[in-house]
Amino acid sequence: MWDKAMIDMLLEGIKDTLYMTLLSTFFGYVLGLPLGIALAVTDKEGIQPNAVIYRILDFIVNIVRSIPFLILLILVIPLTRALVGKSYGPTATIVPLTLAAAPFIGRMVESSLKEVDHGVIEAAISMGARTRTIITKVLIGESRTSLLVGVTIVLGTVLGYSAMAGVVGGGGLGDIAIRYGYYRYETEVMIVTLVIIVVLVQLLQWLGMLLSRKLDHRKK
Amino acid sequence: MSNDNNHNKIIRVENLTKTFESKKDSLHALKDVSFSIEKGDIYGIIGLSGAGKSTLVRCLNLLEKPTSGKVIVKDKDLLALSKEELRLERQKIGMIFQHFNLLAQRTVLDNICLPLEIRGIPKKERQAKAMELLKSVGLESKSGAYPSQLSGGQQQRVAIARVLANEPDILLCDEATSALDPQTTKTILDLLLDINRQLGITIVVITHEMRVVKEICKHVAVLDEGILQETGTVSEVFTNPRTHAAKRLIYMGLSEETEEEVAKHVG
């Protein structure tokens, strides 16, 4: 059974999984980064406290994060159809993955930015920095290692979610694992697929940590 | 020269009050504080911890917003300024801190570049200027180092170079030497003295260390429990303190005095 067709299928699965994971994480950050910045800035300890905006965003984030991914996947099918033209396959899966990742990313970014030493922020304020400058040069600049660790965690989580999309024909390694392992009882294929997923997550984690350690200058 | 008494006053604080409200009670950090600082002065504000001196200095650039009263810097009422006007005004009021507050992820040179970036100075120009400032504090060899690789005294020098990048008229020092050992303190104080003499920058020093005031200040204000107890030249206040708070602070601060002598003086 380990013929060329099988190996091609697994390679295709790896490709699809990485495609979904990377693009969803990217679009997740397009939505989640501004969201996280807004949360950190409008918080009552933030540089521009605004209770109303904070509460609204906080509420939205909590709502979306409470929806189990499989339910979200089905809930947004109309939106997915409108954006991609179909509701199955790797490209279609990017839509619910992005929506699930964005609030999660928002929280990760918020907590990274809140780690920045308040004294450094005050120093920037005392220099006459604009709020925008403080966000880009101080908050993001100083928390970049923490943000990178966040990206690593998000990649792992999104990769895991992408496997779930296999249930509805989302494509990728999860899809293969479910089709062979669950529907056809070919446990061997399922295990191989799982091993590949584990290796991918480990690899991403290792790369992310390596990069963030390289960029960190807080310690000698 | 104008006859106007306020003409030489670069900072005027009028009836400044700051109350921190919490759910249970309110803390009166500053109570009706008024004083003024002359242009070119080195002005010390001393007090024990909790006296309100840090709150006071933070009100001078509105890092802390006063509950009532006025802060007039260079004839401008800071509380009446728009957000944008205040931002520009702050560029001319430098501040250095007890814990230096350098950006940990930036090199020494890039730290000094920050205020210039804020003002939109082109990269080449700001790097040249930052290098020049770094030389002036004697750390040109450390331009590529990160703050974590420097000693406390070196970090404060970088912070001083950074604050000078904006060519401020006023320099606020919030316990700037409190985290440093006596020897390093001395070198930082000498640097501040140089800055005052050569650049004519008015310096406001907040400290609980008597020797800092004795070393560099011309005038001093004694703050106790949020109330300004007395002000005057350093020699006046140190040789002849009038209030109980000032006596307690000054006689305790002079290490050569024994406990008994303090008791005798304070009575």
Side-chain angles (χ1 to χ4, degrees):
Chain A
M1 82 183 233
W2 291 103
D3 53 7
K4 191 172 180 303
M6 178 65 79
I7 289 166
D8 281 352
M9 184 185 71
L10 285 173
L11 286 175
E12 186 75 13
I14 293 173
K15 201 194 84 195
D16 285 347
T17 292
L18 287 177
Y19 167 75
M20 286 188 282
T21 304
L22 295 175
L23 276 180
S24 304
T25 302
F26 173 77
F27 289 123
Y29 269 91
V30 170
L31 297 175
L33 188 65
L35 179 65
I37 292 170
L39 282 166
V41 168
T42 58
D43 181 61
K44 59 178 188 298
E45 305 286 321
I47 48 175
Q48 205 126 109
N50 187 319
V52 177
I53 294 178
Y54 185 84
R55 262 186 230 138
I56 292 171
L57 294 177
D58 187 60
F59 183 71
I60 294 171
V61 166
N62 286 343
I63 291 286
V64 181
R65 286 201 61 202
S66 329
I67 305 173
F69 180 64
L70 272 178
I71 310 280
L72 185 76
L73 193 72
I74 293 156
L75 272 179
V76 299
I77 283 178
L79 177 69
T80 309
R81 279 221 180 90
L83 286 173
V84 186
K86 56 180 184 174
S87 63
Y88 56 88
T91 306
T93 310
I94 290 173
V95 177
L97 273 179
T98 301
L99 288 176
F104 177 56
I105 291 168
R107 280 286 182 237
M108 302 283 289
V109 170
E110 180 192 8
S111 94
S112 291
L113 299 187
K114 281 180 174 170
E115 282 169 26
V116 175
D117 178 9
H118 201 70
V120 179
I121 297 167
E122 283 202 325
I125 295 173
S126 79
M127 287 172 205
R130 288 188 181 86
T131 303
R132 185 162 31 93
T133 318
I134 297 174
I135 292 168
T136 54
K137 308 234 180 228
V138 181
L139 291 182
I140 295 179
E142 284 294 280
S143 64
R144 63 182 185 199
T145 50
S146 173
L147 286 170
L148 255 172
V149 173
V151 173
T152 310
I153 296 170
V154 169
L155 279 171
T157 308
V158 171
L159 199 145
Y161 277 7
S162 82
M164 267 194 254
V167 177
V168 293
L173 293 168
D175 205 3
I176 297 171
I178 287 168
R179 270 189 288 138
Y180 284 79
Y182 187 71
Y183 297 127
R184 295 200 207 166
Y185 301 103
E186 289 186 34
T187 319
E188 212 178 311
V189 180
M190 189 183 72
I191 287 172
V192 170
T193 321
L194 285 180
V195 169
I196 297 174
I197 292 176
V198 169
V199 170
L200 283 179
V201 171
Q202 292 285 349
L203 213 64
L204 289 172
Q205 182 76 19
W206 174 75
L207 260 173
M209 288 307 180
L210 190 78
L211 200 61
S212 77
R213 224 174 299 137
K214 249 195 125 87
L215 281 171
D216 195 357
H217 295 288
R218 279 172 297 184
K219 287 178 201 83
K220 281 176 205 186
Chain B
M1 271 296 194
S2 155
N3 288 328
D4 184 359
N5 197 28
N6 286 329
H7 187 78
N8 283 329
K9 305 295 188 190
I10 193 163
I11 299 173
R12 279 185 284 147
V13 172
E14 294 175 5
N15 311 104
L16 191 70
T17 301
K18 175 72 190 181
T19 309
F20 291 103
E21 300 284 356
S22 71
K23 270 173 198 152
K24 278 186 184 157
D25 56 352
S26 46
L27 173 76
H28 301 280
L30 295 172
K31 297 171 202 163
D32 197 25
V33 171
S34 300
F35 68 104
S36 56
I37 299 173
E38 273 173 34
K39 198 171 184 305
D41 201 352
I42 302 185
Y43 198 98
I45 299 171
I46 50 168
L48 299 170
S49 57
K53 54 194 191 305
S54 214
T55 307
L56 178 55
V57 79
R58 290 160 57 82
C59 282
L60 298 183
N61 61 359
L62 297 198
L63 275 184
E64 207 77 71
K65 203 171 171 293
T67 308
S68 66
K70 277 186 179 170
V71 179
I72 299 161
V73 176
K74 289 183 284 173
D75 296 322
K76 281 182 197 155
D77 181 353
L78 293 189
L79 284 151
L81 297 181
S82 71
K83 208 184 154 201
E84 184 63 12
E85 286 169 329
L86 174 63
R87 192 178 73 75
L88 295 172
E89 213 52 53
R90 276 176 173 153
Q91 296 185 347
K92 292 291 171 192
I93 310 172
M95 191 171 201
I96 57 172
F97 305 84
Q98 179 172 7
H99 299 295
F100 327 122
N101 295 350
L102 298 174
L103 278 73
Q105 307 287 20
R106 280 184 176 227
T107 63
V108 162
L109 196 71
D110 287 343
N111 260 288
I112 302 173
C113 283
L114 181 65
L116 302 168
E117 277 171 52
I118 288 169
R119 270 166 51 210
I121 311 270
K123 190 171 178 180
K124 262 208 161 131
E125 212 176 306
R126 67 178 182 242
Q127 283 188 333
K129 171 138 196 195
M131 201 61 210
E132 198 182 297
L133 286 160
L134 199 53
K135 266 183 203 149
S136 75
V137 297
L139 285 173
E140 60 267 43
S141 63
K142 299 284 185 190
S143 64
Y146 286 89
S148 63
Q149 297 166 319
L150 303 183
S151 70
Q154 287 172 328
Q155 288 190 54
Q156 196 61 290
R157 280 172 180 275
V158 174
I160 290 170
R162 182 173 71 172
V163 89
L164 292 179
N166 271 343
E167 291 161 14
D169 305 307
I170 297 166
L171 174 56
L172 308 175
C173 308
D174 188 4
E175 296 278 7
T177 58
S178 299
L180 306 173
D181 62 61
Q183 248 171 332
T184 314
T185 295
K186 176 88 172 79
T187 64
I188 296 293
L189 293 180
D190 288 344
L191 182 60
L192 291 176
L193 214 50
D194 271 357
I195 287 165
N196 172 259
R197 284 185 188 145
Q198 287 172 16
L199 306 173
I201 297 175
T202 308
I203 299 180
V204 182
V205 177
I206 295 294
T207 185
H208 65 271
E209 297 173 299
M210 275 336 108
R211 52 175 296 236
V212 170
V213 175
K214 271 168 73 182
E215 201 100 26
I216 64 169
C217 294
K218 290 178 198 149
H219 290 89
V220 64
V222 179
L223 199 66
D224 190 53
E225 294 187 344
I227 298 166
L228 196 66
Q229 301 288 342
E230 58 184 281
T231 60
T233 65
V234 171
S235 58
E236 268 169 27
V237 174
F238 273 47
T239 52
N240 188 21
R242 284 167 284 123
T243 57
H244 181 78
K247 282 178 189 166
R248 191 168 52 128
L249 202 63
I250 286 156
Y251 294 133
M252 275 197 324
L254 300 172
S255 52
E256 54 270 20
E257 305 249 2
T258 65
E259 288 282 323
E260 286 145 56
E261 276 172 301
V262 172
K264 197 173 72 197
H265 280 295
V266 175

